[in-house]
Amino acid sequence: MGDSMAGAPWDTQLLECLFDSRVCIVSCFCAPCQLAHQKAIIENKECNPMDAMIIYFCAICCQVKIRQDVRMKYNIEGTLCSDICASLICGVCAVAQQHRQLQLKGDRPQGCLME
């Protein structure tokens, strides 16, 4: 499940976080908050502090799961293995890419310091 290569590519590249300094900085210093807001959008619910706490203590597992959920919601190509690699190799870039994807699709991930 979630191991499908079929679908469209991400709307932005993984390393494009370097060109969006605000999202990159917030993703770097407040990744659990960013991920909690992304999770809330994917699950169509309100974000709460408990979401951020769970993500803080289970960071990599939660990050991979949220990335997989973003891919599935927007039918983005990739595999569980690619989600794990992106999260482990450049977690900040992956969180920022997910944020930009949600923004481009019309969802508004608020997160810390984000409008």
Side-chain angles (χ1 to χ4, degrees):
M1 186 168 178
D3 245 359
S4 172
M5 285 298 291
W10 288 88
D11 288 331
T12 62
Q13 297 300 311
L14 189 62
L15 295 178
E16 283 185 38
C17 67
L18 303 173
F19 303 114
D20 190 345
S21 59
R22 185 175 188 191
V23 171
C24 186
I25 289 168
V26 172
S27 296
C28 183
F29 293 105
C30 300
C33 294
Q34 286 290 84
L35 287 166
H37 284 277
Q38 292 174 11
K39 180 179 183 289
I41 286 171
I42 295 300
E43 294 177 356
N44 199 25
K45 66 177 189 119
E46 290 292 318
C47 185
N48 65 59
M50 186 55 77
D51 292 331
M53 291 298 292
I54 292 168
I55 291 167
Y56 180 79
F57 289 108
C58 303
I60 293 297
C61 294
C62 290
Q63 183 172 346
V64 170
K65 174 67 171 122
I66 293 166
R67 186 169 181 83
Q68 186 177 33
D69 291 345
V70 170
R71 274 195 315 100
M72 291 175 71
K73 179 175 181 171
Y74 299 116
N75 193 29
I76 297 171
E77 63 189 14
T79 63
L80 176 59
C81 185
S82 68
D83 295 335
I84 292 169
C85 288
S87 297
L88 289 175
I89 294 169
C90 191
V92 171
C93 295
V95 172
Q97 182 185 40
Q98 293 158 206
H99 178 90
R100 290 189 315 275
Q101 185 72 34
L102 291 168
Q103 267 186 327
L104 290 170
K105 295 299 183 184
D107 290 319
R108 301 312 252 179
Q110 300 301 311
C112 298
L113 308 172
M114 304 305 283
E115 297 174 7

